[in-house]
mmCIF file of all heavy atoms in Angstrom:
data_model
loop_
_atom_site.group_PDB
_atom_site.id
_atom_site.type_symbol
_atom_site.label_atom_id
_atom_site.label_comp_id
_atom_site.label_asym_id
_atom_site.label_seq_id
_atom_site.Cartn_x
_atom_site.Cartn_y
_atom_site.Cartn_z
ATOM 1 N N ASN A 27 6.829 28.721 1.501
ATOM 2 C CA ASN A 27 7.898 29.731 1.578
ATOM 3 C C ASN A 27 9.196 29.258 0.940
ATOM 4 O O ASN A 27 9.859 29.994 0.221
ATOM 5 C CB ASN A 27 8.193 30.092 3.037
ATOM 6 C CG ASN A 27 7.080 30.944 3.615
ATOM 7 O OD1 ASN A 27 6.292 31.535 2.859
ATOM 8 N ND2 ASN A 27 6.983 30.986 4.929
ATOM 9 N N PHE A 28 9.564 27.988 1.208
ATOM 10 C CA PHE A 28 10.889 27.516 0.786
ATOM 11 C C PHE A 28 11.026 27.442 -0.729
ATOM 12 O O PHE A 28 12.135 27.479 -1.250
ATOM 13 C CB PHE A 28 11.210 26.153 1.425
ATOM 14 C CG PHE A 28 10.278 25.047 1.003
ATOM 15 C CD1 PHE A 28 10.437 24.430 -0.225
ATOM 16 C CD2 PHE A 28 9.248 24.621 1.830
ATOM 17 C CE1 PHE A 28 9.581 23.405 -0.620
ATOM 18 C CE2 PHE A 28 8.391 23.597 1.447
ATOM 19 C CZ PHE A 28 8.552 22.994 0.209
ATOM 20 N N GLU A 29 9.906 27.329 -1.465
ATOM 21 C CA GLU A 29 10.024 27.151 -2.922
ATOM 22 C C GLU A 29 10.004 28.485 -3.670
ATOM 23 O O GLU A 29 10.420 28.550 -4.834
ATOM 24 C CB GLU A 29 8.917 26.226 -3.450
ATOM 25 C CG GLU A 29 7.513 26.773 -3.267
ATOM 26 C CD GLU A 29 6.433 25.859 -3.826
ATOM 27 O OE1 GLU A 29 6.716 25.017 -4.700
ATOM 28 O OE2 GLU A 29 5.267 26.014 -3.389
ATOM 29 N N ILE A 30 9.551 29.548 -2.994
ATOM 30 C CA ILE A 30 9.386 30.833 -3.685
ATOM 31 C C ILE A 30 10.709 31.356 -4.270
ATOM 32 O O ILE A 30 10.755 31.750 -5.439
ATOM 33 C CB ILE A 30 8.655 31.861 -2.776
ATOM 34 C CG1 ILE A 30 7.199 31.391 -2.609
ATOM 35 C CG2 ILE A 30 8.715 33.277 -3.360
ATOM 36 C CD1 ILE A 30 6.350 32.196 -1.648
ATOM 37 N N PRO A 31 11.829 31.327 -3.522
ATOM 38 C CA PRO A 31 13.092 31.809 -4.132
ATOM 39 C C PRO A 31 13.477 31.038 -5.398
ATOM 40 O O PRO A 31 13.981 31.620 -6.354
ATOM 41 C CB PRO A 31 14.132 31.574 -3.030
ATOM 42 C CG PRO A 31 13.358 31.445 -1.770
ATOM 43 C CD PRO A 31 12.001 30.944 -2.126
ATOM 44 N N PHE A 32 13.221 29.731 -5.413
ATOM 45 C CA PHE A 32 13.551 28.915 -6.601
ATOM 46 C C PHE A 32 12.670 29.341 -7.786
ATOM 47 O O PHE A 32 13.150 29.445 -8.916
ATOM 48 C CB PHE A 32 13.332 27.421 -6.307
ATOM 49 C CG PHE A 32 14.313 26.848 -5.324
ATOM 50 C CD1 PHE A 32 14.031 26.825 -3.958
ATOM 51 C CD2 PHE A 32 15.529 26.334 -5.764
ATOM 52 C CE1 PHE A 32 14.933 26.304 -3.051
ATOM 53 C CE2 PHE A 32 16.442 25.806 -4.870
ATOM 54 C CZ PHE A 32 16.137 25.788 -3.508
ATOM 55 N N LEU A 33 11.393 29.605 -7.494
ATOM 56 C CA LEU A 33 10.467 30.000 -8.564
ATOM 57 C C LEU A 33 10.808 31.395 -9.077
ATOM 58 O O LEU A 33 10.803 31.649 -10.283
ATOM 59 C CB LEU A 33 9.022 29.938 -8.044
ATOM 60 C CG LEU A 33 8.530 28.515 -7.748
ATOM 61 C CD1 LEU A 33 7.344 28.530 -6.783
ATOM 62 C CD2 LEU A 33 8.138 27.791 -9.041
ATOM 63 N N GLU A 34 11.134 32.291 -8.156
ATOM 64 C CA GLU A 34 11.473 33.673 -8.550
ATOM 65 C C GLU A 34 12.717 33.682 -9.447
ATOM 66 O O GLU A 34 12.781 34.402 -10.436
ATOM 67 C CB GLU A 34 11.726 34.536 -7.305
ATOM 68 C CG GLU A 34 10.479 34.804 -6.464
ATOM 69 C CD GLU A 34 9.533 35.813 -7.107
ATOM 70 O OE1 GLU A 34 9.984 36.636 -7.905
ATOM 71 O OE2 GLU A 34 8.310 35.733 -6.819
ATOM 72 N N ARG A 35 13.707 32.863 -9.083
ATOM 73 C CA ARG A 35 14.937 32.784 -9.894
ATOM 74 C C ARG A 35 14.640 32.270 -11.298
ATOM 75 O O ARG A 35 15.254 32.682 -12.272
ATOM 76 C CB ARG A 35 15.967 31.862 -9.216
ATOM 77 C CG ARG A 35 16.958 32.611 -8.339
ATOM 78 C CD ARG A 35 18.183 31.774 -8.019
ATOM 79 N NE ARG A 35 17.877 30.576 -7.258
ATOM 80 C CZ ARG A 35 17.723 30.540 -5.945
ATOM 81 N NH1 ARG A 35 17.842 31.641 -5.243
ATOM 82 N NH2 ARG A 35 17.464 29.405 -5.327
ATOM 83 N N ALA A 36 13.676 31.335 -11.390
ATOM 84 C CA ALA A 36 13.381 30.714 -12.696
ATOM 85 C C ALA A 36 12.522 31.620 -13.583
ATOM 86 O O ALA A 36 12.453 31.425 -14.799
ATOM 87 C CB ALA A 36 12.660 29.383 -12.476
ATOM 88 N N ASN A 37 11.903 32.652 -12.981
ATOM 89 C CA ASN A 37 10.985 33.529 -13.718
ATOM 90 C C ASN A 37 11.772 34.602 -14.467
ATOM 91 O O ASN A 37 11.683 35.794 -14.173
ATOM 92 C CB ASN A 37 9.991 34.146 -12.726
ATOM 93 C CG ASN A 37 9.009 35.078 -13.417
ATOM 94 O OD1 ASN A 37 8.825 35.017 -14.648
ATOM 95 N ND2 ASN A 37 8.386 35.940 -12.629
ATOM 96 N N LYS A 38 12.540 34.183 -15.463
ATOM 97 C CA LYS A 38 13.468 35.110 -16.132
ATOM 98 C C LYS A 38 12.752 36.133 -16.990
ATOM 99 O O LYS A 38 13.248 37.215 -17.238
ATOM 100 C CB LYS A 38 14.478 34.313 -16.963
ATOM 101 C CG LYS A 38 15.301 33.380 -16.085
ATOM 102 C CD LYS A 38 16.580 32.938 -16.734
ATOM 103 C CE LYS A 38 17.401 32.077 -15.798
ATOM 104 N NZ LYS A 38 16.789 30.791 -15.470
ATOM 105 N N LYS A 39 11.582 35.797 -17.485
ATOM 106 C CA LYS A 39 10.843 36.737 -18.343
ATOM 107 C C LYS A 39 9.965 37.687 -17.516
ATOM 108 O O LYS A 39 9.166 38.439 -18.051
ATOM 109 C CB LYS A 39 9.957 35.971 -19.329
ATOM 110 C CG LYS A 39 10.723 35.042 -20.263
ATOM 111 C CD LYS A 39 10.736 35.586 -21.694
ATOM 112 C CE LYS A 39 11.295 34.605 -22.684
ATOM 113 N NZ LYS A 39 12.746 34.534 -22.710
ATOM 114 N N GLU A 40 10.115 37.568 -16.202
ATOM 115 C CA GLU A 40 9.428 38.469 -15.269
ATOM 116 C C GLU A 40 7.919 38.504 -15.452
ATOM 117 O O GLU A 40 7.300 39.572 -15.536
ATOM 118 C CB GLU A 40 10.052 39.864 -15.321
ATOM 119 C CG GLU A 40 11.508 39.810 -14.905
ATOM 120 C CD GLU A 40 12.194 41.160 -14.897
ATOM 121 O OE1 GLU A 40 11.562 42.150 -15.276
ATOM 122 O OE2 GLU A 40 13.366 41.190 -14.502
ATOM 123 N N HIS A 41 7.326 37.319 -15.509
ATOM 124 C CA HIS A 41 5.867 37.231 -15.468
ATOM 125 C C HIS A 41 5.419 37.724 -14.090
ATOM 126 O O HIS A 41 6.169 37.625 -13.119
ATOM 127 C CB HIS A 41 5.418 35.769 -15.632
ATOM 128 C CG HIS A 41 5.856 35.171 -16.936
ATOM 129 N ND1 HIS A 41 5.237 35.463 -18.124
ATOM 130 C CD2 HIS A 41 6.864 34.314 -17.224
ATOM 131 C CE1 HIS A 41 5.845 34.793 -19.093
ATOM 132 N NE2 HIS A 41 6.837 34.097 -18.578
ATOM 133 N N LYS A 42 4.170 38.227 -14.026
ATOM 134 C CA LYS A 42 3.677 38.733 -12.733
ATOM 135 C C LYS A 42 3.090 37.570 -11.944
ATOM 136 O O LYS A 42 2.029 37.043 -12.311
ATOM 137 C CB LYS A 42 2.594 39.786 -12.960
ATOM 138 C CG LYS A 42 3.171 41.084 -13.414
ATOM 139 C CD LYS A 42 2.133 42.188 -13.389
ATOM 140 C CE LYS A 42 2.772 43.462 -13.892
ATOM 141 N NZ LYS A 42 1.882 44.286 -14.672
ATOM 142 N N ILE A 43 3.762 37.185 -10.865
ATOM 143 C CA ILE A 43 3.283 36.031 -10.098
ATOM 144 C C ILE A 43 2.672 36.492 -8.784
ATOM 145 O O ILE A 43 3.267 37.306 -8.068
ATOM 146 C CB ILE A 43 4.418 35.055 -9.694
ATOM 147 C CG1 ILE A 43 5.461 34.924 -10.798
ATOM 148 C CG2 ILE A 43 3.870 33.707 -9.278
ATOM 149 C CD1 ILE A 43 6.681 34.127 -10.368
ATOM 150 N N ALA A 44 1.497 35.945 -8.482
ATOM 151 C CA ALA A 44 0.921 36.121 -7.141
ATOM 152 C C ALA A 44 0.928 34.752 -6.483
ATOM 153 O O ALA A 44 0.741 33.734 -7.159
ATOM 154 C CB ALA A 44 -0.495 36.657 -7.243
ATOM 155 N N TYR A 45 1.193 34.748 -5.196
ATOM 156 C CA TYR A 45 1.263 33.467 -4.473
ATOM 157 C C TYR A 45 0.108 33.369 -3.490
ATOM 158 O O TYR A 45 -0.217 34.349 -2.817
ATOM 159 C CB TYR A 45 2.569 33.373 -3.684
ATOM 160 C CG TYR A 45 3.802 33.387 -4.566
ATOM 161 C CD1 TYR A 45 4.480 34.592 -4.819
ATOM 162 C CD2 TYR A 45 4.280 32.216 -5.136
ATOM 163 C CE1 TYR A 45 5.608 34.610 -5.629
ATOM 164 C CE2 TYR A 45 5.406 32.235 -5.953
ATOM 165 C CZ TYR A 45 6.067 33.430 -6.193
ATOM 166 O OH TYR A 45 7.171 33.449 -6.995
#
Side-chain angles (χ1 to χ4, degrees):
N27 287 342
F28 63 79
E29 63 179 338
I30 291 175
F32 291 92
L33 292 159
E34 291 286 335
R35 266 197 297 277
N37 180 19
K38 299 200 177 66
K39 300 251 189 281
E40 299 181 357
H41 299 284
K42 285 191 181 144
I43 322 172
Y45 297 95

